[in-house]
Amino acid sequence: MRISHAPKNEWLSAQSSSWRRHRMIWVLLFLVYGGSMLAAGAKLYKDDFFSSSVMPYLQGHWRWPLNKLKSTSAQPKRLVIDMKWDAYQKLSYQREQALQSSMLLAQSDDFVPAKITVDDRTVDVKMRLKGDNVDHLRGEKWSFRVSAKGDQTVWGMKQFSLHHPRARNWLFEWLGHRIMRREGVIGLRYEFVDMILNGKSLGIYAVEEHFEKHLVENNERREGPIVRFGESAMWAEINEQTRPFQGAMTSGSGDYFAAETDGFGTKSAQADPAAHALYLKAVHLLDLFRRRQLSTSQAFDTTKLATYFALIDMLGGEHGARWHNIRFYYNPVSSLLEPIAFDLNAGRSIRALSLFAWNASTHASPFPSRYDEFRRTLFDDKDFRLKYLAELDRVSDPPFLVETLKELDSDTQAALAILYTEFPYYEFSPQAWQKNQQYIKSMLHPIKGVHAYHVDSATEHIFLQIGNTQYLPLEIVGLEMAGKGLLKPTSSTTLEPRSLDKLVHYLTVAFVTSSSMVDVKASELTILYRVIGSREECRAPVAAHDWQWDAFLENDLLRQPPNPERFPFLQVNEKDHVIHIQPGKWEIAENMILPSGYTIQCGPATELNLGASAVVISHSPVQFIGTSEEPIVIRSSDGTGQGLAVLRAGRPSELEHVQFEGLTNPQQQGWVLTGAVTFYESPLSVSHCTFRGNTCEDALNCVRSPFTLEHCTFSDTKSDAFDADFSDGNINDCTFLRCRNDGVDVSGSIVNITNLVVTESGDKAVSCGEASRVEIRGLRATRTKIGLASKDASEVNARDVTLTECQYGLAAYQKKTEYGAPTLRVVNLKMERVSEPYLLEAGPTVSVDDRQIFGNRTDVKEIVYGPSKPAKPGQ
């Protein structure tokens, strides 16, 4: 018998087809499973299963079994609601619609009839869903607004709301209303009850009183209207514009400025002429306040309003201070509006005091001014602001909260036991309130609330400039002076708050003394101040330096405008950008400031005599070209002339046949230069010039300025003759006579020296420091303390050096720790009558005629600078 087999490719095809069928089945099963899980997840989310039934136990405190045991003593009131099937279906449909649109927009025809049974008594009511956001509608614990029909009430309330205790932050809201009422502010009746709807237990609900006359009477007020800024347009605008078109501009009809001022129970008020008149007065008061035609003090009971906002801050109930949440009772006796605590959502950590009209949510809000402008207008009233700060100080004291909670403890434990019957995982802690108290205290007692500067100490008065550095108003209490006790200001002094993003504003404050205080030391003065409303005094030291800001720009030399027009001997050629100094003898008795962008020219037979501490400052290069027969002379006959400074001129300057005599260095209003003649970031060529009898630290100082010195003479200088700081250049055929300090002082520079003569220098003939590189070809130093010095990583190579009658010949040492050891090499060195040829530390590399010289002195710096003599830079 022959058995035939299917071809191999047919078998593979059959196997492949089977695999594809199985794969499709698995894909379909996975899609069905995934879809089912997604649908189940969506259903559980909508029903609030995880957040209400699972997560609380996972995140809850380990004490929940004990809390469940405590709940056995609870005796909550029971509220039983019955409604017909079609009424319930209407509410269910409205809920579905709200969940789909993510917002509930309630209408007047949303109410359905129902019956409520409490205390064996049945009341006819109407009910609707409540809550703008859909967190009120997830799960089985929907939120409701209830209104009893006719003259009936439920527990004395005509209207009230029902919602999950979580919707108002659990026990915090319950306590918040009781604390408000304890402090004289109108609070709502707020209780936790056991609720049954159509025979089904829905567990613990919060009952929140609504706004009508029973609320007013329960707070021991005479009947009067309750008004608000209408919020319906705001929520409609959020639903129709903000959410669908996130980030886009809205129409504006939903913000604070456009909101209607309306009230509650308007139909009944309209039916009674007297009640209607009160209602109109209340809404007009509120609107006139918003229009700033009435101040806060004219429209509101500011005593109660101050307590309300202080408690809002302490309780973390900023939510209840927003313009669309706050409600007001019009007191017909005082004709003023009083706040009603509502929707506090208390127990949060505050981020700013109510005074500042700021909260974090405004930054993400489609209406930046929605929460701000209302409070900003309230706190613009100074009297109200001061009352608020005083209340803030009172309620932020730790004993206030401790005593309040102790007084309410019995009722608090009963309320917690009721909550534990359904929510044993819930834990209440006043820690958030305690932290808010600490924050408030930190604001009322700033680390440093003032800057203070000493101005003057006249007969029997000390004058200070004092500025408020922070955002709360301050009162100056006094000035504490070491050894003199407390000095009082001549009058009551209040410093207004510093405005956001503004500089500190200063006031002059005078303090009375018993006698003249000419020798006042600012370091011995301390300001005593306090935030207005606070009882605790704060202290701040007076700044160590005196007040100078008023005259700073007037006296700051380098910020003064150019003034060539003040000197008739200056000719300004705008076409060629030249300022020419005319020949002649000219007296300069005020500072001469020459602008940038020009060339300053001066020729033979010109003499400038600087007096009255005047200085010549040029922001342009100078071309001072004299002759040997008629040199240019710049001198100071009275010895006060502060010389010449060329600053950032850019292009090279030239000095030829110029004599600088009897000058000193600039020193005006804290601006000090070391040189009688200074070139800063200004290239310079100097030839055949003399610097004689200049009483300054440097006769000529080049800073970051390339230079050339040829055939110049420096004589009788009070300190150094020529100082090159970070300036590269050449010194050729120059002579230095009778310089009290260094002849040539080089720091951080590269310099070539040829044929230099230094006679009778009080310190070093040539000093090279701060990593300078110096080449010398020909140096004769006679009767100097030190002939040639290399220090601080400098490298000096010298040839043909003759030292005569010097105390020390060559010196090498490290003065500054940030630099390394120096190098000094000399070829063809001649020393005659030199007391000590070498003054060398261990470490520097020194050679003379290719012979290594080693040093081991440890007293070099003391010999050069003395044990306490401060050394100037580059020395």
Side-chain angles (χ1 to χ4, degrees):
M1 179 177 179
R2 183 177 180 181
I3 300 175
S4 62
H5 295 276
K8 183 177 181 180
N9 59 345
E10 292 182 9
W11 181 84
L12 289 174
S13 177
Q15 293 296 317
S16 177
S17 177
S18 175
W19 180 83
R20 283 197 299 270
R21 285 196 299 272
H22 281 85
R23 185 178 66 175
M24 290 181 63
I25 292 171
W26 279 108
V27 169
L28 288 172
L29 288 174
F30 177 78
L31 290 175
V32 170
Y33 175 78
S36 300
M37 292 302 294
L38 287 173
K43 179 67 166 60
L44 291 173
Y45 174 75
K46 186 173 74 172
D47 291 343
D48 203 29
F49 175 74
F50 284 108
S51 61
S52 63
S53 302
V54 177
M55 292 307 297
Y57 285 94
L58 294 178
Q59 299 173 348
H61 199 276
W62 62 270
R63 293 170 55 90
W64 73 264
L66 180 61
N67 292 341
K68 190 66 177 177
L69 182 62
K70 289 181 179 180
S71 70
T72 58
S73 63
Q75 296 180 335
K77 296 179 180 179
R78 175 162 292 179
L79 187 147
V80 179
I81 302 175
D82 291 292
M83 65 177 65
K84 293 182 178 180
W85 182 87
D86 57 342
Y88 183 83
Q89 289 303 309
K90 179 179 179 180
L91 295 182
S92 182
Y93 174 75
Q94 291 170 354
R95 172 179 177 262
E96 291 294 331
Q97 294 293 107
L99 289 173
Q100 290 179 19
S101 64
S102 298
M103 181 171 288
L104 175 68
L105 296 176
Q107 305 293 329
S108 59
D109 59 355
D110 289 345
F111 284 95
V112 299
K115 293 182 180 294
I116 288 182
T117 301
V118 293
D119 302 330
D120 299 323
R121 185 171 62 91
T122 300
V123 178
D124 291 325
V125 301
K126 59 180 181 178
M127 300 175 58
R128 65 168 175 82
L129 297 177
K130 186 211 76 153
D132 304 301
N133 292 313
V134 294
D135 56 338
H136 280 271
L137 302 176
R138 291 199 175 95
E140 294 184 329
K141 298 172 85 73
W142 308 347
S143 296
F144 300 98
R145 174 68 46 75
V146 181
S147 179
K149 293 182 178 180
D151 295 330
Q152 301 178 89
T153 62
V154 176
W155 293 316
M157 295 180 291
K158 177 74 173 173
Q159 298 178 51
F160 55 91
S161 298
L162 296 165
H163 50 250
H164 195 303
R166 181 184 57 204
R168 295 277 196 266
N169 203 16
W170 305 96
L171 191 71
F172 284 102
E173 191 80 1
W174 182 93
L175 270 171
H177 283 287
R178 281 157 175 77
I179 293 173
M180 285 285 183
R181 295 184 66 166
R182 178 180 183 269
E183 297 302 314
V185 177
I186 297 175
L188 309 180
R189 279 176 278 194
Y190 195 91
E191 302 291 346
F192 299 122
V193 301
D194 181 22
M195 181 168 140
I196 297 173
L197 175 60
N198 285 348
K200 181 178 181 179
S201 174
L202 295 181
I204 301 301
Y205 260 71
V207 177
E208 178 185 73
E209 187 173 13
H210 199 52
F211 305 100
E212 40 85 34
K213 70 174 186 175
H214 295 81
L215 161 66
V216 174
E217 293 167 351
N218 189 56
N219 281 269
E220 300 177 347
R221 298 320 197 261
R222 183 174 291 183
E223 184 179 349
I226 296 173
V227 294
R228 64 174 178 179
F229 296 109
E231 59 181 312
S232 57
M234 182 195 79
W235 291 112
E237 192 170 69
I238 290 174
N239 187 55
E240 296 173 16
Q241 287 187 308
T242 303
R243 287 179 174 170
F245 313 107
Q246 290 194 9
M249 182 178 177
T250 61
S251 61
S253 59
D255 70 17
Y256 165 71
F257 297 103
E260 291 182 283
T261 50
D262 60 15
F264 299 88
T266 54
K267 288 185 179 179
S268 59
Q270 289 174 346
D272 182 345
H276 187 57
L278 290 179
Y279 169 79
L280 291 178
K281 194 162 189 176
V283 295
H284 286 143
L285 269 179
L286 193 57
D287 195 45
L288 289 171
F289 157 77
R290 179 174 55 179
R291 294 176 180 274
R292 292 181 177 263
Q293 292 178 248
L294 289 177
S295 69
T296 305
S297 297
Q298 292 171 320
F300 298 93
D301 184 325
T302 52
T303 299
K304 292 180 172 59
L305 194 67
T307 301
Y308 175 75
F309 276 100
L311 288 173
I312 282 288
D313 291 344
M314 192 277 287
L315 297 173
E318 183 274 335
H319 191 262
R322 300 175 184 180
W323 70 266
H324 66 284
N325 284 336
I326 196 167
R327 277 70 169 124
F328 298 100
Y329 155 70
Y330 173 76
N331 189 324
V333 178
S334 65
S335 191
L336 295 172
L337 298 169
E338 297 182 26
I340 300 174
F342 167 62
D343 200 1
L344 305 178
N345 227 335
R348 315 294 178 179
S349 295
I350 58 171
R351 294 292 178 263
L353 302 181
S354 294
L355 170 66
F356 301 132
W358 181 93
N359 81 84
S361 65
T362 60
H363 294 290
S365 167
F367 311 112
S369 65
R370 189 167 72 192
Y371 303 140
D372 291 356
E373 190 60 29
F374 164 63
R375 278 179 283 174
R376 188 178 295 119
T377 308
L378 280 175
F379 285 99
D380 275 350
D381 186 305
K382 183 178 180 180
D383 291 338
F384 167 61
R385 192 164 61 241
L386 298 185
K387 286 182 179 180
Y388 159 78
L389 289 170
E391 281 295 275
L392 204 59
D393 186 58
R394 180 178 71 89
V395 303
S396 62
D397 274 344
F400 170 82
L401 183 58
V402 171
E403 293 169 6
T404 300
L405 293 178
K406 182 178 180 180
E407 181 180 312
L408 299 172
D409 184 64
S410 178
D411 290 343
T412 300
Q413 295 306 317
L416 278 171
I418 294 173
L419 285 174
Y420 292 157
T421 60
E422 184 179 356
F423 313 105
Y425 52 79
Y426 174 69
E427 283 293 324
F428 168 74
S429 170
Q431 184 177 0
W433 288 348
Q434 293 164 351
K435 189 173 181 180
N436 288 344
Q437 286 185 311
Q438 293 167 6
Y439 171 76
I440 293 168
K441 284 299 184 186
S442 74
M443 295 295 286
L444 295 177
H445 309 126
I447 297 171
K448 185 181 182 186
V450 299
H451 291 330
Y453 297 88
H454 177 248
V455 178
D456 189 20
S457 300
T459 304
E460 299 183 351
H461 287 91
I462 294 178
F463 294 92
L464 300 183
Q465 282 281 344
I466 306 177
N468 187 349
T469 65
Q470 43 85 65
Y471 304 136
L472 295 176
L474 301 178
E475 175 188 4
I476 300 301
V477 176
L479 177 65
E480 196 172 69
M481 185 175 181
K484 301 292 182 181
L486 184 66
L487 308 180
K488 292 289 186 179
T490 55
S491 60
S492 177
T493 302
T494 298
L495 300 181
E496 292 301 316
R498 181 174 68 82
S499 299
L500 186 67
D501 298 328
K502 299 295 182 182
L503 293 171
V504 175
H505 175 71
Y506 289 89
L507 290 177
T508 301
V509 182
F511 297 87
V512 180
T513 65
S514 57
S515 59
S516 178
M517 297 286 180
V518 179
D519 59 343
V520 166
K521 294 181 180 179
S523 60
E524 298 179 347
L525 303 177
T526 301
I527 287 291
L528 271 65
Y529 66 94
R530 60 171 161 253
V531 172
I532 291 182
S534 173
R535 292 158 291 176
E536 185 174 330
E537 294 179 358
C538 303
R539 302 160 63 87
V542 174
H545 58 277
D546 287 356
W547 177 265
Q548 298 179 0
W549 313 122
D550 289 343
F552 176 76
L553 290 179
E554 179 182 348
N555 297 321
D556 184 31
L557 184 59
L558 293 188
R559 287 168 178 79
Q560 298 305 304
N563 61 353
E565 71 282 353
R566 297 186 60 82
F567 303 92
F569 55 86
L570 297 181
Q571 290 182 335
V572 180
N573 184 333
E574 297 290 356
K575 181 180 178 181
D576 297 327
H577 296 285
V578 171
I579 298 177
H580 182 67
I581 303 175
Q582 300 180 64
K585 293 184 178 182
W586 311 112
E587 301 289 331
I588 300 178
E590 63 175 301
N591 296 327
M592 177 189 290
I593 304 174
L594 302 175
S596 62
Y598 292 80
T599 298
I600 315 302
Q601 295 182 345
C602 183
T606 304
E607 180 179 310
L608 304 178
N609 185 13
L610 279 63
S613 300
V615 63
V616 176
I617 297 177
S618 176
H619 299 283
S620 294
V622 299
Q623 291 181 350
F624 287 8
I625 311 298
T627 66
S628 58
E629 295 79 13
E630 293 183 306
I632 298 170
V633 178
I634 301 176
R635 67 187 184 91
S636 177
S637 58
D638 66 1
T640 67
Q642 296 183 7
L644 169 68
V646 180
L647 308 176
R648 290 181 173 175
R651 292 177 287 113
S653 293
E654 296 180 63
L655 300 177
E656 184 175 340
H657 291 290
V658 183
Q659 298 176 2
F660 298 92
E661 300 176 1
L663 301 171
T664 187
N665 58 295
Q667 42 188 333
Q668 297 187 24
Q669 296 296 320
W671 182 67
V672 179
L673 299 180
T674 59
V677 179
T678 301
F679 282 76
Y680 173 71
E681 294 187 355
S682 303
L684 171 66
S685 175
V686 186
S687 69
H688 299 90
C689 293
T690 61
F691 299 80
R692 181 185 305 117
N694 295 299
T695 57
C696 51
E697 190 169 328
D698 305 313
L700 172 61
N701 185 199
C702 291
V703 183
R704 299 170 60 86
S705 301
F707 67 90
T708 298
L709 269 64
E710 296 182 335
H711 305 289
C712 294
T713 300
F714 294 78
S715 63
D716 302 300
T717 301
K718 181 180 179 182
S719 186
D720 294 347
F722 174 65
D723 194 341
D725 294 318
F726 315 105
S727 301
D728 301 342
N730 301 289
I731 303 173
N732 303 321
D733 301 303
C734 292
T735 301
F736 293 77
L737 305 172
R738 298 177 298 281
C739 305
R740 284 196 182 181
N741 210 57
D742 298 338
V744 175
D745 187 358
V746 176
S747 301
S749 304
I750 300 174
V751 179
N752 295 307
I753 301 174
T754 304
N755 298 331
L756 179 67
V757 176
V758 181
T759 302
E760 296 184 18
S761 173
D763 198 354
K764 300 174 282 292
V766 178
S767 175
C768 309
E770 298 183 19
S772 292
R773 300 294 178 264
V774 180
E775 297 287 333
I776 301 175
R777 295 295 181 267
L779 166 63
R780 287 187 295 133
T782 304
R783 292 188 295 280
T784 64
K785 180 179 179 181
I786 298 172
L788 175 60
S790 178
K791 59 182 184 291
D792 297 332
S794 294
E795 183 177 334
V796 179
N797 295 297
R799 179 179 293 273
D800 302 329
V801 176
T802 300
L803 307 177
T804 304
E805 298 181 37
C806 298
Q807 185 175 354
Y808 300 97
L810 304 181
Y813 52 93
Q814 183 177 348
K815 174 187 173 186
K816 299 181 178 179
T817 58
E818 63 266 32
Y819 292 97
T823 299
L824 174 58
R825 300 183 184 93
V826 182
V827 176
N828 194 17
L829 171 66
K830 295 180 182 179
M831 290 190 283
E832 299 176 2
R833 297 184 297 283
V834 174
S835 300
E836 294 190 42
Y838 305 108
L839 184 62
L840 309 176
E841 285 182 341
T845 300
V846 179
S847 68
V848 176
D849 295 324
D850 297 326
R851 180 171 58 90
Q852 191 90 12
I853 307 296
F854 297 97
N856 57 7
R857 298 287 293 263
T858 59
D859 58 350
V860 175
K861 287 188 283 294
E862 287 75 10
I863 291 173
V864 177
Y865 305 111
S868 60
K869 177 183 176 182
K872 67 185 181 66
Q875 206 175 29

